[in-house]
Amino acid sequence: FAGLGRWQLERSYRASDVMTANPQVIRSGQLAIDAVAIMQNPPRLLNVLPVVDDAGQLVGATHIQALVQIGIA
């Protein structure tokens, strides 16, 4: 990558190069407090947790800040 500026190098990355292949998730029917427990479970502390339906399909995400704002975390 010699000679490439940082901006040029960063532009060459694909999302699949920097994603987590098998992320922690929470089911949409689980309690918000369960999300906090997952997000604060070492060794990796999470800021965002994908939310999936019963079929395992992504339906959204929750952020630790949203949980803090409602007083759960």
Side-chain angles (χ1 to χ4, degrees):
F1 300 112
L4 286 179
R6 181 174 178 208
W7 180 80
Q8 290 171 314
L9 182 60
E10 289 172 355
R11 290 188 66 208
S12 67
Y13 286 106
R14 297 174 302 208
S16 62
D17 294 330
V18 294
M19 72 178 191
T20 301
N22 295 306
Q24 288 282 330
V25 298
I26 190 164
R27 301 252 181 224
S28 59
Q30 286 183 261
L31 299 175
I33 194 71
D34 295 335
V36 173
I38 293 168
M39 296 169 93
Q40 294 181 341
N41 186 26
R44 286 187 76 193
L45 301 179
L46 304 174
N47 290 317
V48 177
L49 186 64
V51 179
V52 298
D53 63 17
D54 289 334
Q57 295 297 307
L58 181 67
V59 295
T62 190
H63 194 282
I64 191 68
Q65 191 61 33
L67 297 168
V68 168
Q69 287 176 345
I70 63 171
I72 295 197

